[in-house]
Amino acid sequence: MTLHFDLHAHSTASDGSLSPAALMQRAQAAGVDVMALTDHDTLEGLDEAAATARALGVTFVPGVEVSVTWQGITVHILGLSVDAHNDDLSQGLADLRKFRDWRAEEIGRRLARDGIPGAYEGARGFSSGRLISRTHFARFLVAQGYAPDLRRVFRRFLVHGKPGHVAGEWASLEDAVGWIRAAGGQAVIAHPARYRLTRGKLRRLIGEFSEVGGAALEVVSGSHSRDDYFTMAMHARDFGLLASAGSDYHGPEHPWIELGQLPALPVGCKAIWKDWHLSQ
Ligand code: AMP
Ligand code: MN
Ligand code: MN
Ligand code: MN
C-alpha cells in the first residue's frame, strides 16, 4: 500500500483558517496517512495537532515554516520533524514574531495613509489573536470590499511596490537551517518555484542551503506546475538533496488547494521520508 503524505499545511496558529485539530480531521477524511503541520514562524499548534492525529490514527509530523531573507528576497524554509519544545528554535521564532508584530502595525499605518483606516485592528480581528500575517490583512480588505478575492487583494495592496508592503527582515538562511537542525529536524526549501528566481540565482540559493545543512527541496507543492515538479526534481538530484511534497493548505476558503491531492514524486527523487521510522 502506498502511503499518502502531505508535509506542508497551516492552521489558525498562523494564517490557516482551521484549528490544528480540525486540520487533522480533514486530513484523515481526505485519506492522508502522514500529515505535517507547518505554521509560519510558530510551534503553537503542534501539541494540539499531535494529540488529535494520534486519536485519529494519522501519523503526525511536527513542523514549521520559517521566514527567511536571502539576498533581499523572502524565502520560506520548512522544518520537518522538529522538537516542538526546543529552545533554540523557539527563541529564533519568537524574534521573528516580534518583527511580525511591528510590521503589522506599520502595514496598518501605511494603509491608513493610503485612505484605508482601521486595517491593523481589522486584521487582528481575523487572526485568532495569535500570530499576524499579511493573509489576515487580505481577509480584512476583502471583507471590506477593497478587492473581490485574496489573490487580487495581494496584488493591489500587499506586494512589493504597493501601499501595504513592508520589506521583510527575517532570519538568515544559516540561522533558520541551524535552528531546525538544533531541534532535530530536516530543513526543506518550501515551494522553490514560487520565488520566480532565474535558474542561476535559484541554484545559488540551493547551493548555499545545502552548504549550511539543508536536506530537501519541496518538489511537489500545491503552488507548483507539473513542469515545476520536474525542474525541481532535477535540481534536487544535482545537489544530492531529498525531495518533499506538501499542499500548503490554508483552509477551505482557498479552494484551489486541497489536502491530500498531491501526485507522486517524479521518478528518480529520493523522498525525504525514505529513512523515517513511521509510526503513529
Ligand atoms: P507573511 O508571511 O505575513 O508575509 O504572509 C505571507 C502569506 O501570505 C503566505 O504564506 C501566503 O499564505 C499568503 N500569500 C502571499 N501571496 C499571496 C497571494 N498572491 N495570494 C494569496 N495569498 C498569498
Ligand atoms: Mn501562509
Ligand atoms: Mn510559504
Ligand atoms: Mn506555507
Side-chain angles (χ1 to χ4, degrees), residues 100-101 103-104 120 123-124 127 130-133 136-137:
R100 268 188 186 281
D101 287 340
R103 182 190 67 157
Y120 173 73
R124 277 276 174 216
S127 79
R130 299 191 270 191
L131 176 141
I132 187 157
S133 142
H136 303 120
F137 282 90

Side-chain angles (χ1 to χ4, degrees), residues 8 10 38 40 65 191 248 250:
H8 186 162
H10 298 273
T38 56
H40 298 285
E65 183 171 15
H191 42 62
D248 204 3
H250 279 73

Side-chain angles (χ1 to χ4, degrees), residues 62-168:
V64 63
E65 183 171 15
V66 184
S67 305
V68 162
T69 302
W70 180 79
Q71 305 222 341
I73 61 163
T74 300
V75 170
H76 288 169
I77 302 295
L78 297 167
L80 295 180
S81 309
V82 294
D83 170 1
H85 301 280
N86 174 269
D87 284 341
D88 290 349
L89 179 58
S90 300
Q91 186 53 53
L93 299 177
D95 289 342
L96 295 182
R97 291 196 300 274
K98 265 192 226 138
F99 172 70
R100 268 188 186 281
D101 287 340
W102 173 84
R103 182 190 67 157
E105 290 177 32
E106 182 63 18
I107 292 174
R109 286 190 286 271
R110 291 188 191 191
L111 288 173
R113 280 204 293 275
D114 208 59
I116 302 177
Y120 173 73
E121 294 73 15
R124 277 276 174 216
F126 278 86
S127 79
S128 85
R130 299 191 270 191
L131 176 141
I132 187 157
S133 142
R134 279 184 297 161
T135 306
H136 303 120
F137 282 90
R139 293 197 182 124
F140 166 77
L141 291 167
V142 170
Q144 295 290 305
Y146 289 104
D149 57 47
L150 289 174
R151 285 180 185 207
R152 273 177 274 194
V153 96
F154 264 90
R155 215 180 303 146
R156 285 182 200 170
F157 296 101
L158 297 171
V159 296
H160 191 71
K162 296 299 156 95
H165 183 264
V166 178

